Amino acid sequence: MDSSKRKFLALSGLAVASSLYASESPHIKSNEKTTKKHKKASLPDTKNPRVVVLGGGWSGLSIAKTIKELSPQADVILVEKRHEFISCPISNLWLVDKVDLEYITHDYLQAARNYDYTYFNATAIGVDKKNRTLQTSEGDIAFDYLVLSPGIDYDYSKWTKDITLVTRLKQEYPAGFIPGSEHITLKNKIQNFKGGNFILTVPGGNYRCLPAPYERACIIANYFKQKKLKAKVIILDENNAVTIKKKGFMSAFKELYADYIEYIPNSAIESIDLDTKTVTTELDEFKFEDAAFYPRVRGAKIIETMGFAKDAKDRMEGNINPLTYEVEGESNIFIAGDARPMGFSKSGNTSNSEGKYVGKLIANRINKLKAPKWEAPVTLCFSAVSTEPENAIFIYTQYSFDKKDKSLENAKFADWKKFSFSETTSSENWKKDGVKNAASIYSWADALYFDMFGAK
Ligand SMILES: Cc1cc2nc3c(=O)[nH]c(=O)nc-3n(C[C@H](O)[C@H](O)[C@H](O)COP(=O)(O)OP(=O)(O)OC[C@H]3O[C@@H](n4cnc5c(N)ncnc54)[C@H](O)[C@@H]3O)c2cc1C
């Protein structure tokens, strides 16, 4: 077993079995009854307003922290199914040992202690809207406000409806865009690769982290090049061009990895045969030795289970007012992070900065203050184009909408389309600024991890 795998297993601990036992504590409010099927979660009572945040990712961590900062009297509970946080940002560098697992792994207990909220390790399974209760594997939790930040799930349906194939794709060729086991499998694939074609796919639609598949291709190619492997990273991109930081990535493909990367746009996949190891696109057929198949994404399925998902361009995402993040028809339930329908970049920085606004919005309600003015989330995204030496590119953008558009005063789900990029700048000349940008990758990550988890 390699050392990173050992460390990961040590950090993970054992899966906790579901225990639907009743606690002795009374409900936070007299009208909040547990349903017949579920028992109360074992949590202390409170007389204060309770906010339950589902999902301890970049969105949920930022929201929980902000609410507690602005409304210290609130009883904030972060419900998260994982035992520890593993960061997707920076994980591409971990694949080739540029950082160790400790750097991208963080402690939910530390975050909860530093920011004075409760981390509750459980899987959410449903909601009882009438009784304002989140149902979890560890019992029901009554809430005054509920925030859903559960991220994404994969959607393989554009490629195949064959469940056996989907199961094999998930297990044998995971995308590596939801952290944990998928990343470990991918790391082992890369580090044990003997040569030949390594396929990476880029999905269509607003997928999680637009630059990450291209960054990953560069990092893998750099690794193969250093090892002097006879190998090629084939990028099958469903889109007609690189979706972001195009100049920077295309020049890296051409100038650094001409013999190692083959970039093929307009590659909508028609079939994948895992026995003959062949991928067929509209235009061609590709043989591969290994691969990571990244399908389209959709809002996490728990949102659909709760009845809060709506279709935004083939992506079942939160049915929310895009300005207030409230679920349509539910004034005390919110959806944020990558599960939102707006065309913002599905990135950690975006979710973290958006979380400050959503947190303020809820804190102001609790504090009986006016709703805050809408604040644009910020996307600041660094991508490595090489690791030996380290070079990177970045993009910065905010978002805006037409303030004269009166219909947005009562914004509806359908208005998710009305937001556009603003204040966009980028640094894509890696030959000039690559070293400086690469250093910023680590200062960015340090700052964001500190923001979410606080001091050790
Ligand atoms: C390889 C890669 C590289 C990336 N690089 C960058 C980068 O450089 N910069 C950047 O800004 N972004 C980057 N991103 C994107 C970033 O990771 C995501 O946009 C971000 O994680 C979204 O935050 P979120 O909170 O919405 O979702 P997540 O971070 O996925 O969090 C959702 C959480 O909800 C939990 N959850 C889901 N369902 C349940 C349930 N039913 N019960 C309990 N818990 C549940 C999950 O366990 C998870 O912890 C990258 C992503 C990948 C995959």
Side-chain angles (χ1 to χ4, degrees):
M1 196 189 297
D2 82 13
S3 68
S4 62
K5 196 164 171 186
R6 244 192 329 267
K7 278 184 218 157
F8 177 79
L9 292 174
L11 285 160
S12 299
L14 292 170
V16 176
S18 299
S19 57
L20 301 175
Y21 59 91
S23 91
E24 297 305 313
S25 55
H27 280 289
I28 57 165
K29 280 189 175 173
S30 56
N31 67 340
E32 288 164 347
K33 295 182 191 125
T34 50
T35 57
K36 275 189 192 131
K37 268 201 238 151
H38 305 277
K39 306 279 171 61
K40 273 172 55 179
S42 179
L43 282 162
D45 295 335
T46 180
K47 290 197 167 54
N48 294 333
R50 180 181 276 168
V51 187
V52 175
V53 179
L54 161 60
W58 292 70
S59 170
L61 285 162
S62 172
I63 294 171
K65 174 190 168 184
T66 306
I67 295 173
K68 217 37 214 182
E69 264 175 6
L70 301 178
S71 189
Q73 78 277 24
D75 178 37
V76 175
I77 296 171
L78 181 76
V79 177
E80 168 57 51
K81 64 185 174 187
R82 294 173 199 267
H83 295 265
E84 67 289 309
F85 173 97
I86 302 180
S87 174
C88 273
I90 316 294
S91 67
N92 280 338
L93 293 169
W94 172 73
L95 295 175
V96 296
D97 294 324
K98 284 308 284 184
V99 297
D100 59 21
L101 195 59
E102 271 77 7
Y103 188 65
I104 59 169
T105 305
H106 297 272
D107 174 357
Y108 282 121
L109 303 173
Q110 178 191 323
R113 278 195 308 271
N114 279 328
Y115 299 127
D116 198 25
Y117 57 77
T118 304
Y119 158 62
F120 189 72
N121 182 229
T123 300
I125 49 181
V127 69
D128 178 348
K129 291 191 283 181
K130 199 164 142 246
N131 292 308
R132 291 188 173 186
T133 307
L134 180 73
Q135 297 156 341
T136 82
S137 57
E138 301 298 315
D140 283 358
I141 310 173
F143 62 80
D144 295 296
Y145 301 90
L146 174 65
V147 187
L148 306 173
S149 293
I152 56 146
D153 271 316
Y154 299 126
D155 176 8
Y156 288 87
S157 67
K158 279 259 178 311
W159 288 347
T160 179
K161 308 256 183 300
D162 176 353
I163 293 169
T164 307
L165 178 58
V166 171
T167 307
R168 282 192 67 188
L169 284 169
K170 284 181 180 168
Q171 201 154 303
E172 295 169 35
Y173 301 95
F177 276 79
I178 296 178
S181 294
E182 291 185 23
H183 285 83
I184 296 172
T185 290
L186 182 57
K187 181 170 186 162
N188 286 330
K189 278 172 183 279
I190 295 164
Q191 300 212 349
N192 295 318
F193 198 61
K194 301 281 179 289
N197 292 341
F198 197 107
I199 286 185
L200 295 178
T201 62
V202 186
N206 191 11
Y207 60 88
R208 168 171 277 183
C209 200
L210 297 179
Y214 309 112
E215 177 191 60
R216 188 174 280 172
C218 289
I219 287 174
I220 299 175
N222 198 151
Y223 187 78
F224 291 168
K225 190 174 168 182
Q226 260 183 295
K227 283 179 84 179
K228 298 194 170 54
L229 285 185
K230 252 186 114 194
K232 203 151 240 176
V233 180
I234 300 182
I235 309 171
L236 297 181
D237 193 338
E238 189 179 327
N239 305 286
N240 59 15
V242 168
T243 52
I244 195 161
K245 301 180 230 179
K246 182 176 163 193
K247 258 195 202 155
F249 282 122
M250 286 307 284
S251 66
F253 296 167
K254 208 167 125 201
E255 293 174 41
L256 295 172
Y257 310 116
D259 296 333
Y260 284 87
I261 288 183
E262 199 172 328
Y263 174 69
I264 308 171
N266 298 308
S267 296
I269 289 176
E270 293 198 326
S271 68
I272 302 172
D273 186 329
L274 296 183
D275 297 321
T276 61
K277 292 193 167 182
T278 313
V279 181
T280 310
T281 68
E282 275 169 7
L283 304 172
D284 219 334
E285 202 178 84
F286 301 88
K287 293 274 182 200
F288 61 91
E289 272 61 42
D290 218 333
F293 290 106
Y294 183 13
R296 286 192 171 216
V297 307
R298 46 156 296 159
K301 287 197 182 118
I302 184 67
I303 289 178
E304 190 179 356
T305 306
M306 291 179 175
F308 300 149
K310 214 164 169 176
D311 211 2
K313 272 212 172 160
D314 284 346
R315 306 185 308 264
M316 293 295 280
E317 290 164 327
N319 179 12
I320 54 171
N321 171 328
L323 289 175
T324 66
Y325 290 81
E326 286 165 301
V327 169
E328 283 198 5
E330 304 291 335
S331 58
N332 57 345
I333 303 179
F334 304 78
I335 298 176
D338 279 2
R340 71 178 97 70
M342 292 82 89
F344 306 156
S345 156
K346 290 189 190 296
S347 84
N349 204 95
T350 315
S351 290
N352 175 275
S353 54
E354 174 191 75
K356 312 282 179 215
Y357 165 68
V358 176
K360 199 197 280 185
L361 220 140
I362 296 167
N364 279 16
R365 289 244 185 117
I366 295 171
N367 298 336
K368 303 205 178 345
L369 297 172
K370 251 177 52 189
K373 271 207 179 130
W374 182 78
E375 286 166 31
V378 176
T379 297
L380 171 61
C381 186
F382 296 90
S383 306
V385 293
S386 66
T387 54
E388 304 293 339
E390 287 193 276
N391 276 300
I393 53 181
F394 81 81
I395 190 164
Y396 171 96
T397 192
Q398 294 195 21
Y399 302 87
S400 64
F401 59 92
D402 180 2
K403 298 217 167 64
K404 287 187 217 125
D405 183 347
K406 291 284 173 206
S407 67
L408 274 163
E409 281 167 15
N410 296 304
K412 292 242 170 319
F413 172 80
D415 295 316
W416 66 265
K417 298 185 193 95
K418 294 188 175 165
F419 294 79
S420 51
F421 291 100
S422 73
E423 326 261 336
T424 307
T425 54
S426 66
S427 165
E428 301 185 46
N429 185 347
W430 49 268
K431 279 172 276 184
K432 183 165 158 273
D433 295 320
V435 174
K436 194 172 69 187
N437 291 340
S440 302
I441 291 184
Y442 301 103
S443 38
W444 172 82
D446 290 342
L448 271 284
Y449 295 150
F450 186 79
D451 180 75
M452 293 187 285
F453 297 95
K456 285 200 173 130

